[in-house]
Amino acid sequence: MKKSYTLGENLKFIIPSILGILLFIIPIKTEGGFTIPIALLANWVQGKLADHLSFIMMIIITITAVLTVIARIIGRERLGKTPFFQNLLYVNWFWTIARVLAAVFAIMVYFRLGPEAIHGENTGQLLLDSLLHVLFAVFLFAGIFLPLLMNFGLMELFGTLSTKFMRPLFNLPGRSSIDALASWIGDGTIGVLLTSKQYEDGYYTKREAAIIGTTFSVVSITFSLVVIDQVNLDHMFVPFYLTVLVAGLIAALIMPRIPPLSRKSDTYINEQAVGIEEKIPDGYNSFTFGYEKAVNRAKKESSFYQFIKEGFQNVLDMWMGVAPVVMALGLVALIIAEYTPVFQWLGMPFIPLLELMQVPYAEEASQTILIGFADMFLPSVIGASIEAEITRFIIAALSVTQLIYMSEVGGLLLGSKVPVSFKDLVVIFLLRTLITLPVIVLIAHIIF
């Protein structure tokens, strides 16, 4: 039976949810194109703190390493009174070593110590002086305001409305569609963050979290503009982005149905689900049932202090949990890409395939195919000098649809609670490459 709610109960859902939509999802036009308010706030902070952010991130990463080592020394039980810091600081030996390595790297890059391979312009400086600036600012505002999207019923409403197509197409909960939307318009990092928090809160199974984090945390429209501009094809942005969407959709239909994602366990993080009722009861439609669930969820939020506390815990979780992983693993991947021929060797098997698909400059293009695993921007940088427009178009589109790159999304996924391993990410990257490359080449031949 449908319930009736007071004006206050309705507004408790409506106002925070509208604020969340405005901040994370509604695009606004700027001089540089379209973006979202969260990204604008992040850019503002980057501008204000531009001269200090490298130092700030170096300090954050170093403090994280020191506290993590102390946590290992004193033991997990001593942190039992503060479960948040227990989970944040007491990590396994692999992540402890990664955090210490990240601190060493950050100090070397900031003070320009040691070999140039570590603090070079295209390696350490690219991370500490560029990417980590973006992550600091995005994490600050995304973390603080993320509860607006998650805690006041918007997920419940959106999830119920989207279940009709998310379940049949991708075998995922309807609420995962908002992760994709936030990534698409905002940033892939926001999508990973949303997915991780939803998994931690018991709304996604391990399989669902792995699929959403590696399939729907897509590259934003804004960054896609940067990529197509890098290969001097900005006048072709519309066909380029439509190509990316078609190839990405085909990958999203296939990837959840094949290993390694299909083999992930359908159990929850704590073996207990929060309990998402997707079947619509008699007397309801998708909207009325979703709205009732949304208001009931919003009613549980009774403390402004709790909202602020959760927001700042999100920020610390990202700054201290994710940034060191990006610094450590991202830098190792960039050094391999910049100073060794490993990615050129790995790309050689693609030469016959590209020649078979009649892609001009197949040898040059093959060198860009797997280097995107280190950083998504590298294929466009390397491929920008290739003369054939069709080849540059293919390189740019493929780099966006591959999705998994260690300097950002890959590192973020490993640093998050999403249950994927480094091996999983390698396999997923290769599978996405093999699935999307023929689609992109086919569309490119039609366009050109």
Side-chain angles (χ1 to χ4, degrees), residues 34 183-187 218-226 237 241:
F34 286 93
S183 299
W184 179 47
I185 297 170
D187 191 87
V218 294
V219 177
S220 69
I221 295 174
T222 307
F223 200 75
S224 298
L225 280 164
V226 176
F237 178 74
Y241 205 73

Side-chain angles (χ1 to χ4, degrees), residues 258-326:
I258 60 175
L261 293 177
S262 65
R263 290 182 178 169
K264 293 290 179 184
S265 168
D266 248 327
T267 56
Y268 292 84
I269 188 168
N270 55 2
E271 306 305 327
Q272 289 184 337
V274 170
I276 306 169
E277 179 56 58
E278 292 190 331
K279 185 179 179 183
I280 298 172
D282 294 336
Y284 289 85
N285 56 38
S286 295
F287 179 80
T288 56
F289 184 51
Y291 188 85
E292 183 174 297
K293 289 204 298 180
V295 177
N296 287 335
R297 176 66 182 89
K299 284 166 64 178
K300 295 178 183 177
E301 294 297 310
S302 56
S303 168
F304 181 72
Y305 165 75
Q306 190 62 34
F307 172 84
I308 295 296
K309 179 184 174 184
E310 184 174 339
F312 278 100
Q313 283 182 342
N314 287 339
V315 175
L316 279 180
D317 200 13
M318 289 179 277
W319 280 353
M320 299 177 74
V322 176
V325 178
V326 174

Side-chain angles (χ1 to χ4, degrees), residues 333 336-337 340-354 362-374 402 422 426 429-430 433-434 437:
I336 293 170
T340 75
V342 168
F343 286 104
Q344 292 180 26
W345 295 339
L346 293 174
M348 288 177 68
F350 286 92
I351 296 175
L353 179 62
L354 291 169
E363 188 173 340
E364 290 87 341
S366 71
Q367 297 178 22
T368 70
I369 286 181
L370 296 184
I371 203 167
F373 185 69
Q402 285 171 324
F422 180 78
V426 172
F429 175 85
L430 290 172
T433 301
L434 293 172
L437 178 60

